[in-house]
Amino acid sequence: MTENAPQKISVVKDMNRHFTFGALVRYTLPTIAMMIFTSLYTVVDGFFVSNFIGKTALAAVNLAWPVIMVLASVGLMMGAGGSALVAKTRGEGDDDKANRYFTMSIIFTAILSVALAVVGLIALPPLMGLLGAEGQLLDDTTLYGFIVLAALPFFALQFAFQILFSTAGKPLIGFIVIVAAGLTNVALDALFICGFGWGIAGAAAATALGQVVGGVVPVIYFLSENKSFLRFVRTRLELRPIGKACMNGCSELVSNVAMSLVATLYNYQLLAYIGEDGVAAYSVIGYTAMIFSAIFMGYALGSSPLMSYQYGARNHGEMRSILKKSLLFIALFAGIMFVAAELLAPALCAIFVSYDPELLAFTVQAYRIYALAFLIMGLPIYGSAFFTALNNGLISAIIAFLRTLVFECGAVMLLPLILGIEGIWLSVSVAELCAGVLTAIFMVAFRGRYGYGKRIVTSAASEHI
């Protein structure tokens, strides 16, 4: 790796400025698009698997995917945690150290994900058996999981680079990479499933090769001469910054691990209450809900480097401005997504299960109940990323942990006992409401400590774009 001279003047122009609402949305738009395209991996698989292989294979994908996401979440942890550390260091004016931290984050992600891929390959079959999968469902789940787990290191790197491209000042490059990976997945799904007739193995191979594109292309970019504010440099792994990055990003890890565990718990409950059709319906809801929630997640991750930079520069006025505009964004899109989900529920569900009218009607009804969560989920998603950006991994992790492992797990176990099947679909809304209240309390409680509650006039230098 070669070390290039830092570009301190360009860095200052990049983030040390006032962001209007429109400028903030434009800055985060590539990251939002990246998260949406990443979500399309599973959605595309779901479309081809459901329509060209069948609902048993669709249920198999939904059973295997939470395990894959748990293991790949180390990429989100190092991407989010490393981004917060790197952006704060840049805000303090030390570009050389920021590049070392960036390089360490990627190396550590690669090493850890290889080890976790091995663990996943060993643990997947017995775990699926414990969940109740058997016969063809167990065979399909294991086959799909084995193939995708073989590409896990690339998937983890893709997650890490999604966030770090924004920190590097090149979110558009990150978006282009994800588009390339997504198109690879789509094209190979059509070729392997429809053309070659490889069934669920073809769906898995298409997903894995798409992840290879998403993980390898960024490595090539940062190894080459580029115009970003980050680059690979000669370094060694240092425990303190790696530990700090892990702590900063542990909320993203906890959140995704917990979401995957909750999905597994949902599958368990649905198999017990309904059977295979329930898992298939939840798969359809999960595909479209993933895209809606990706908007909130993309905005939160895309705006986090700006907050980290201003925190490092002690620009409390701009921190307050970014927070206020972010809350406005969340409120606007929460309403838009809820209305869209309610109106488009029949069309969205028909994309996947139009071949089964009874399953389609059941899925639409469930989806409209589930859609209430879109009104609330944006605040806890942003709140967790917000505290990560402030290098407070503990509060971020508390929000993520309680939101999913406590509130969602508790709701999905208790509400069905009271409300029956409807209780399963309402569980997410109840959990998000509890997490939203908790997030608001933390934001108010810490406003003095971090300064974003102070009414400070932004400096003249930072007002110029």
Side-chain angles (χ1 to χ4, degrees):
M1 300 180 193
T2 59
E3 184 168 1
N4 298 314
Q7 300 176 348
K8 294 186 177 179
I9 295 177
S10 295
V11 171
V12 171
K13 288 182 179 179
D14 177 46
M15 287 188 177
N16 189 21
R17 56 177 171 133
H18 174 67
F19 279 81
T20 65
F21 183 77
L24 186 58
V25 173
R26 287 193 298 273
Y27 187 88
T28 59
L29 193 58
T31 311
I32 294 172
M34 278 196 293
M35 295 304 296
I36 292 174
F37 269 85
T38 301
S39 302
L40 287 175
Y41 278 136
T42 315
V43 174
V44 169
D45 274 351
F47 171 79
F48 280 99
V49 168
S50 181
N51 286 280
F52 297 98
I53 306 176
K55 63 184 180 183
T56 298
L58 178 64
V61 172
N62 198 51
L63 285 173
W65 196 251
V67 178
I68 297 165
M69 284 297 297
V70 165
L71 301 176
S73 292
V74 296
L76 274 179
M77 176 184 72
M78 293 307 299
S83 172
L85 185 60
V86 168
K88 180 176 180 290
T89 304
R90 289 177 58 210
E92 294 167 345
D94 195 338
D95 293 341
D96 292 334
K97 185 184 289 185
N99 283 324
R100 291 201 305 274
Y101 290 166
F102 165 65
T103 307
M104 285 182 209
S105 297
I106 295 303
I107 293 174
F108 186 73
T109 299
I111 294 172
L112 184 58
S113 59
V114 169
L116 289 174
V118 175
V119 172
L121 290 170
I122 296 171
L124 185 66
L127 179 59
M128 294 300 102
L130 286 174
L131 289 177
E134 56 186 16
Q136 187 63 47
L137 180 59
L138 178 59
D139 292 342
D140 286 352
T141 303
T142 303
L143 177 59
Y144 182 88
F146 276 6
I147 295 173
V148 177
L149 283 170
L152 185 75
F154 302 103
F155 195 21
L157 286 173
Q158 175 183 294
F159 270 144
F161 281 120
Q162 281 177 357
I163 306 169
L164 288 164
F165 264 119
S166 181
T167 311
K170 293 293 181 180
L172 183 58
I173 300 294
F175 171 67
I176 292 171
V177 171
I178 292 301
V179 170
L183 291 178
T184 299
N185 190 14
V186 172
L188 293 181
D189 262 326
L191 179 64
F192 293 165
I193 297 175
C194 303
F196 295 166
W198 288 353
I200 199 166
T207 296
L209 291 172
Q211 292 165 358
V212 170
V213 172
V216 170
V217 172
V219 172
I220 296 172
Y221 176 82
F222 285 109
L223 280 173
S224 307
E225 292 292 331
N226 65 77
K227 296 180 181 179
S228 78
F229 302 122
L230 294 177
R231 60 209 73 250
F232 287 136
V233 297
R234 293 186 183 277
T235 190
R236 58 186 177 84
L237 295 180
E238 301 175 30
L239 293 180
R240 185 181 295 273
I242 289 176
K244 181 65 175 176
C246 290
M247 186 63 187
N248 287 342
C250 68
S251 62
E252 278 66 28
L253 176 67
V254 168
S255 180
N256 278 273
V257 169
M259 285 168 57
S260 298
L261 292 177
V262 168
T264 301
L265 186 58
Y266 264 84
N267 289 328
Y268 175 79
Q269 287 284 75
L270 288 165
L271 282 172
Y273 275 83
I274 306 171
E276 199 172 285
D277 279 3
V279 177
Y282 180 55
S283 302
V284 174
I285 295 171
Y287 292 146
T288 51
M290 193 183 304
I291 295 176
F292 285 128
S293 63
I295 296 174
F296 290 129
M297 181 64 74
Y299 178 85
L301 296 177
S303 62
S304 289
L306 299 178
M307 186 65 73
S308 297
Y309 185 93
Q310 300 299 345
Y311 174 53
R314 299 185 180 278
N315 190 346
H316 298 128
E318 189 61 22
M319 290 173 66
R320 177 183 176 86
S321 174
I322 292 172
L323 176 58
K324 289 173 65 177
K325 292 178 176 66
S326 297
L327 295 177
L328 175 60
F329 176 92
I330 290 167
L332 287 174
F333 275 84
I336 291 171
M337 285 190 284
F338 171 72
V339 172
E342 292 291 334
L343 293 177
L344 298 176
L348 292 172
C349 296
I351 294 173
F352 299 93
V353 292
S354 59
Y355 56 84
D356 189 329
E358 185 176 344
L359 178 57
L360 175 60
F362 173 75
T363 305
V364 170
Q365 180 183 8
Y367 189 89
R368 283 180 164 151
I369 299 173
Y370 186 99
L372 289 169
F374 299 143
L375 288 171
I376 317 162
M377 66 170 54
L379 182 58
I381 288 174
Y382 177 76
S384 182
F386 174 74
F387 283 104
T388 296
L390 297 177
N391 283 251
N392 192 332
L394 178 60
I395 297 301
S396 181
I398 289 173
I399 293 172
F401 176 81
L402 292 178
R403 175 186 171 226
T404 48
L405 278 180
V406 176
F407 298 147
E408 278 203 47
C409 286
V412 78
M413 293 302 294
L414 294 176
L415 288 182
L417 298 177
I418 303 170
L419 302 173
I421 298 300
E422 286 75 14
I424 296 180
W425 310 124
L426 277 173
S427 298
V428 175
S429 299
V430 172
E432 297 291 6
L433 179 60
C434 295
V437 172
L438 180 69
T439 300
I441 291 172
F442 278 132
M443 284 184 167
V444 172
F446 283 89
R447 67 190 187 281
R449 173 176 173 178
Y450 292 106
Y452 55 81
K454 299 178 182 178
R455 294 183 178 276
I456 301 175
V457 177
T458 309
S459 65
S462 66
E463 291 287 342
H464 291 87
I465 298 178

